Amino acid sequence: MKYFTKIGDRERDFTFERQGGQLVAHTGDKTYHLDLSLVGDGTAFTLLVDGSSHDVVVDAVEAQTLVQVRGELVKVEVQDERERTASEVAGARVGGKRTVVASMPGIVAELSVQVGDAVEDGQTLLILEAMKMQNPIQAEGAGTVVKIHTQAGAAVANGAPLVDLDED
Amino acid sequence: MKYFTKIGDRERDFTFERQGGQLVAHTGDKTYHLDLSLVGDGTAFTLLVDGSSHDVVVDAVEAQTLVQVRGELVKVEVQDERERTASEVAGARVGGKRTVVASMPGIVAELSVQVGDAVEDGQTLLILEAMKMQNPIQAEGAGTVVKIHTQAGAAVANGAPLVDLDED
Amino acid sequence: MTPPFKRLLIANRGEIALRIMRTARELGIETVAVYSDVDRNALHVRRADRAVHIGGALPAESYLRGEHILAVAKDQGCDALHPGYGFLAENADFADACAGTSVTFLGPSPQAIRLMGDKVEARKAADSAGVPLVPGMKEDVQDIATLKQKAAEIGYPVMLKAAAGGGGKGIRIVESEDQLEDADRLARAEALAGFGDDRVYLEKLVSRPRHVEIQIMADQHGSVVHYGERECSVQRRHQKLLEETPCTVLTDELRAEMGEAACRLALEVGYVGAGTVEFLYSEGKFYFLEMNTRLQVEHPITEMCYGVDLVAEQLRIAAGGAVEQPRPSQGHSIEVRINAEDPETFLPSLGTITRLSTPGGPGVRLDAVLYRGLEVTPYYDSMLGKLIVHADDRPRAIARMRRALTEIRLLGVLTSIPACLRVLDDASFQAGDYDTGILDCIDRSVPIEIEELAALAAATARYRGTERIAAHDGAAQPVRPASRWVLIDRMEKLEQRPR
Amino acid sequence: MTPPFKRLLIANRGEIALRIMRTARELGIETVAVYSDVDRNALHVRRADRAVHIGGALPAESYLRGEHILAVAKDQGCDALHPGYGFLAENADFADACAGTSVTFLGPSPQAIRLMGDKVEARKAADSAGVPLVPGMKEDVQDIATLKQKAAEIGYPVMLKAAAGGGGKGIRIVESEDQLEDADRLARAEALAGFGDDRVYLEKLVSRPRHVEIQIMADQHGSVVHYGERECSVQRRHQKLLEETPCTVLTDELRAEMGEAACRLALEVGYVGAGTVEFLYSEGKFYFLEMNTRLQVEHPITEMCYGVDLVAEQLRIAAGGAVEQPRPSQGHSIEVRINAEDPETFLPSLGTITRLSTPGGPGVRLDAVLYRGLEVTPYYDSMLGKLIVHADDRPRAIARMRRALTEIRLLGVLTSIPACLRVLDDASFQAGDYDTGILDCIDRSVPIEIEELAALAAATARYRGTERIAAHDGAAQPVRPASRWVLIDRMEKLEQRPR
């Protein structure tokens, strides 16, 4: 089975096999001899790659995997062949309702749209204040505001629905 | 409901009540006004006692509670009234078979008894070696060795059965 | 040794509250913490001797409630109060309110705070103390014609700055005369909105400046000493990210000159306690920027090189002690700020810390309020802590900071750590040849070799999960990774039992 | 700055492997770790650049396999090998094996190791270097009549010590002549069993001695310097628990005298590298005890006061560098050992670390291999790490150590931390007036106010659990506390959602 990773827009795929107990990975024309050991509670690993030691945390939350290594934090999308096929089938998506959610907890400092407004791609829908900073929440595509779930001055939790858009 | 604590052979009992939202504890002729808040994953607490702040870990494993506070680690037995009554009923215990278990993982450096041996209270049954140290495992009461679960040179896990004694 | 005070209220939160507490505890001074609704579990509460709830999560409902906090201090029998930085630290009215009570305010006089809080007045004081100023006007000028004439005299580009501003806020750069009128109007509006005071002043824009500041300490007997400089040019959005001492470009002569200038200013305004005089440095010249009448975030790098505890000195001096001549500075120190923020965009990142391990070994100091389970809320500053290193020389200090940063495990929020690593790896930084523009010049994206490693690690962890499940179940089943790993862990634990 | 070596194999585990690795990494030297079956997840493996599996859990199957480890070093292209302490560090044959290869052994010559490993030979060398010895015999004497005569000359009480022994093992105290013959027989049997060598020698028992040692550093060009003393009298079962420097009772004259004596001994035996000369100190006099031909566990306190990195110095000197004159010692440093052991009985404690948080703030250094999930196994030494503090003076260092120790959270095994707190709180220790008997004089049980607090906390946590469950379920149900708390936590999280 193949494993597909995506970081930003850069894709890499991997296949794995066992060679006499040794785990071996292939990607492109490269081959790595691996030793992976789980530490503690299930997200930390110690990984030897051709004898080089790497202390990594691989934290899978929903579809997204966060990898911490050498002080860096990298978001990786990982899919196996089966998942990729499934997502390709679901891929060809057309218009419809979309809910804009809060990407962080914060306080709604300003509400810039009303129900019925037509908004453009990138237009600011509201300002979310967190840690003394004003963060504009923007539409990711044109559409019409069909519902507003919050109000100016309200505190919202991470992931809370903010605005429903009917996409064109 | 009363709560009974025992540290070594020193017993203290506590009762609790709410006074207008404030948690109040009574023990002997002392009264404490408390504020207890849970931190993180369920064993750490921040406890205010009459305004004094204490950062405590209360780790309950089986019947035993370990309390870490100010760098100290204290073993506390805690029972509520119901549990105490239950344990008092079960208390009057008579002879029978008893299994001596390993109080730590280690290597059996020496086996000092054989099946059929009569042993005295405090007699060494075997030597368990851990961290370069020899730890004698002793009988906690007189009896006869009826079974030996291990052998010299064997590594044993924490809690592994070592010797069965038939108590007199 | 009698402690200088009996009981100290710390009118702050976060790492600075904890830092003050540590020194107080070591000196045998009892500490009283105050906390808002969302800070009940904060480390500054848990490490205090006593703790008092003072209100809601919003600063205005808790940490900015000067009167209430002072009442708590009296009620708790405190004989001193440390304001930390931010919140009430540079609030002259609060210092005034403390002045008439049995609670000693750990800071300068209300007059000194007030004077230095007004940037126009501060420039005047600096000027009369003979401290060089950036060419510009020391006063607010409403008349646009005069403004234009002055700007022409100074020479473009110039800056308009809010008189009541600070911390890099309320600054507008004007490249040419045609932009001046609009910029003036906008700057005044911003200043009014931000600081409730619409006065602005004009200053020459210093090219490729460094931000270099001098730490001073003044006692009640008219003596002032300085503890050299801190180089604070690594800034994002006018907020410092990394500081170091000594500054790579200061000569001993210039250091002495700047130190003496800072001390003169302190004497000029009758300053008492710890203070920092900020300068712009460019091409061998330095210019007064502002004076911060409190302990700075970055004070630890001074402590590391001079072997001094600045909080202990604050306490000693507030109790009437005399300043001591600093020992000579030794080695090199660097601090980085660990903020909950996206390292590429610098936008705040909120969440709960789910995994944490902290660095150790020689020459490493961590001043942080991090703990597993900490919820990073939107109510306060994003700084979770500071990592400070000290070593014999600058290359070793850089290597040590890199080593220490990579020892940290921290999941649950994004942090500034990768941005700090980029700075440490930057050739200009390593050469010591940089200015306040450095962060704009550095590519902050993840290096390609890290990406490759991360992709390999993520794929391997996923494969390994599937493989283990297959081995145990007899067939590969697609299972959610997060829960799956815990299961695998248990399986492996069973297999690894001692034989 | 070119690193002194390219790639370093660290033939050790635990905190010392990590400590060596940190310096190597900062110097730009690649590190190769070796590990046994049970150490795959150990921090020294995870923090290394490369890691190689070398065998089973028992030391004889892995960390003591000198030939195999040397082969690994060659195979990995290492140009140096650091033995740490313990395992192969004082194995002359291993040093011999390295000598003919491209792998530089970070330690003295095999000859020096061999000489100092033989306590009788070491005493002879010390004597000819003019280093004072404890009155006694420098040679093994088989004839019991001669032994009795010598013992009478020296004066009872006397000690019989194994010639090949060390680390406090193989020592018998003889109070009077009638015990001598039995003691001699038993000591020889023990020495033979323990060290494969039945030679013993006779020494006067020094009354109320302190254990004071001198750190030396010698280069290949015939120069030796010393870094003052370490006071190591706080011992349980002849194993050090807490060390400090400077020693409270040494005058500058005596320090210089001891330092010079240590340097003379190093020169006498052609010593190269880091070494420690151990002395007994009593009533203004000092006596040679032994020389350890390696880095000591307690070396960090010297590093803190002298501002030196002893591992970096070892590397520099092994590459041909010359010793540098130490800077003057500043302030006071204390180290405590964090062992997995019962603080009252000192018996080992095994288990898995389930909760961990480590101390921070100014003047605190943690050299530890602790992580959440670490399984403490019976195979190796019980030391999990060392906490080191530095401060301006001894009272502040004691207060700082107390502060730092109480910041630690560590559950899963019992540790020596409470025993260390007892020492810090002890009046004799605080007065600096103690000897190697100090731990026997200290009550190590838990103070009554801590007991009261622990009882209150345990009862409150139990009550609170019941109360919360009752509030949510409508009726009090007896539930197991451990699982219950997690449930309550979730309930409270739901309630505390932002409004």
Side-chain angles (χ1 to χ4, degrees), chain D residues 387-399:
Chain D
L387 181 63
I388 305 112
V389 300
H390 182 256
D392 264 5
D393 55 36
R394 189 169 185 268
R396 187 73 189 272
I398 293 173

Side-chain angles (χ1 to χ4, degrees), chain A residues 70-86:
Chain A
R70 289 199 227 158
E72 313 283 348
L73 196 64
V74 185
K75 289 179 206 172
V76 188
E77 285 173 55
V78 188
Q79 288 185 318
D80 61 24
E81 262 170 297
R82 234 178 306 201
E83 289 162 339
R84 164 157 292 207
T85 308

Side-chain angles (χ1 to χ4, degrees), chain A residues 52-132:
Chain A
S52 288
S53 178
H54 303 285
D55 197 20
V56 293
V57 177
V58 182
D59 200 4
V61 180
E62 316 261 311
Q64 181 150 283
T65 299
L66 278 174
V67 178
Q68 186 165 67
V69 60
R70 289 199 227 158
E72 313 283 348
L73 196 64
V74 185
K75 289 179 206 172
V76 188
E77 285 173 55
V78 188
Q79 288 185 318
D80 61 24
E81 262 170 297
R82 234 178 306 201
E83 289 162 339
R84 164 157 292 207
T85 308
S87 72
E88 276 168 0
V89 169
R93 188 164 144 277
V94 286
K97 208 185 82 171
R98 222 169 60 80
T99 302
V100 178
V101 299
S103 53
M104 62 183 78
I107 293 144
V108 178
E110 197 182 307
L111 200 55
S112 317
V113 291
Q114 298 180 25
V115 172
D117 283 6
V119 297
E120 292 173 10
D121 184 16
Q123 184 175 331
T124 296
L125 304 174
L126 51 84
I127 308 277
L128 205 56
E129 187 174 313
M131 290 169 174
K132 304 190 243 159

Side-chain angles (χ1 to χ4, degrees), chain D residues 47-92:
Chain D
R47 296 275 169 79
D49 290 309
R50 302 184 61 76
V52 181
H53 176 244
I54 50 161
L58 292 173
E61 295 171 2
S62 48
Y63 300 104
L64 287 173
R65 292 179 66 196
E67 256 180 77
H68 181 55
I69 290 173
L70 183 54
V72 168
K74 289 177 195 165
D75 182 57
Q76 292 283 319
C78 296
D79 51 0
L81 179 149
H82 199 306
Y85 52 70
F87 297 126
L88 299 168
E90 289 173 291
N91 182 324

Side-chain angles (χ1 to χ4, degrees), chain C residues 15-27 47 295 299-305 307-312 335 361 363-368 386-390, chain D residues 304 332 334 358-366 387-392 396-405 407:
Chain C
E15 70 84 20
I16 192 62
L18 189 58
R19 190 261 165 275
I20 294 162
M21 217 166 268
R22 281 171 165 153
T23 284
R25 168 149 298 188
E26 290 173 12
L27 293 175
R47 296 275 169 79
L295 203 63
H299 75 276
I301 58 173
T302 300
E303 298 186 321
M304 300 297 268
C305 284
V308 64
D309 180 334
L310 290 171
V311 173
E335 170 185 285
V364 173
R365 166 176 168 184
L366 183 67
D367 279 22
K386 308 175 307 201
L387 181 63
I388 305 112
V389 299
H390 181 256
Chain D
M304 300 298 268
H332 198 93
I334 305 177
T358 53
V364 173
R365 166 177 169 184
L366 184 66
L387 181 63
I388 305 112
V389 300
H390 182 256
D392 264 5
R396 187 73 189 272
I398 293 173
R400 180 158 283 174
M401 180 58 90
R402 196 171 214 304
R403 190 268 291 168
L405 281 174
E407 287 184 9

